[in-house]
Amino acid sequence: MILLFILSLLLYKRYIDDIIGVWVPKDEPTKEEVEWRVFKTLLNMWFGLEWMIIESNNTVDIMDLTVTLKDEKITTTLFEKSLNLYTYIPPHSDHPPGVLNGVIFGQIHCIYCLCLERKDIIKSISQFYLRLIQRGYQCQDVMSIFTKTIHYNSPTMI
């Protein structure tokens, strides 16, 4: 089905039940409107699912990502749902000590992968650090892991 719209669909990526697509309008508004309606109709017939389509927007949140089109440039940053409780493993759990290293490394690596702007990286890492402290971790226990992980991901950030 997607091949029918290959000239209008600049980007189409799907992960399970999440899809992101970029539709490029044509110079002929009438033909464009018909093609867009046909695309949406066929998409909603596909596997009997109903898709939520966000139209004409320069910013979209998809999964853990906010994608923004600004000045013909695409930027991305971390998207966090407002209802996220950030229930990281508490420090008194019986998990092996290395689990904290993995949690910190994984989250910081994710931040570096998803955030394209330095200010977003700094903001997200700071929020993550504060959430761990609020969860009960001691500053000295997490700071050395943060420092190593930040250095590993971006030596210029320290």
Side-chain angles (χ1 to χ4, degrees):
M1 186 211 54
I2 300 305
L3 292 177
L4 295 172
F5 304 98
I6 196 77
L7 296 176
S8 296
L9 207 51
L10 178 66
L11 171 73
Y12 178 90
K13 296 291 179 185
R14 179 175 179 184
Y15 180 75
I16 305 174
D17 64 346
D18 290 309
I19 294 176
I20 186 168
V22 176
W23 186 272
V24 179
K26 292 191 172 76
D27 293 334
E28 306 169 43
T30 308
K31 184 178 179 184
E32 166 67 25
E33 188 177 320
V34 170
E35 189 173 328
W36 178 238
R37 269 197 315 246
V38 170
F39 174 76
K40 290 190 300 184
T41 301
L42 289 175
L43 188 63
N44 279 324
M45 291 171 48
W46 200 15
F47 299 115
L49 298 173
E50 186 172 333
W51 298 95
M52 180 181 71
I53 298 173
I54 301 169
E55 299 182 37
S56 300
N57 200 340
N58 288 339
T59 299
V60 65
D61 298 323
I62 181 166
M63 299 172 62
D64 293 336
L65 194 65
T66 296
V67 181
T68 303
L69 177 62
K70 184 178 177 185
D71 301 327
E72 297 185 15
K73 180 182 174 190
I74 293 176
T75 62
T76 61
T77 191
L78 193 63
F79 171 69
E80 298 173 323
K81 294 180 180 173
S82 59
L83 296 177
N84 190 336
L85 299 176
Y86 306 104
T87 54
Y88 302 112
I89 297 169
H92 58 273
S93 94
D94 287 332
H95 287 78
V99 170
L100 179 61
N101 289 316
V103 169
I104 293 173
F105 183 87
Q107 183 63 27
I108 291 177
H109 182 70
C110 182
I111 289 167
Y112 274 94
C113 288
L114 296 181
C115 298
L116 294 180
E117 296 187 10
R118 187 174 190 267
K119 67 177 178 56
D120 293 333
I121 293 170
I122 293 168
K123 177 184 168 196
S124 295
I125 289 175
S126 299
Q127 287 175 331
F128 176 50
Y129 174 81
L130 291 174
R131 289 176 186 141
L132 287 177
I133 300 305
Q134 290 169 347
R135 190 75 172 144
Y137 286 95
Q138 298 299 309
C139 296
Q140 66 271 18
D141 294 338
V142 296
M143 188 51 74
S144 64
I145 304 170
F146 267 73
T147 303
K148 283 189 284 189
T149 305
I150 291 168
H151 181 72
Y152 178 82
N153 281 279
S154 176
T156 60
M157 286 294 288
I158 307 180

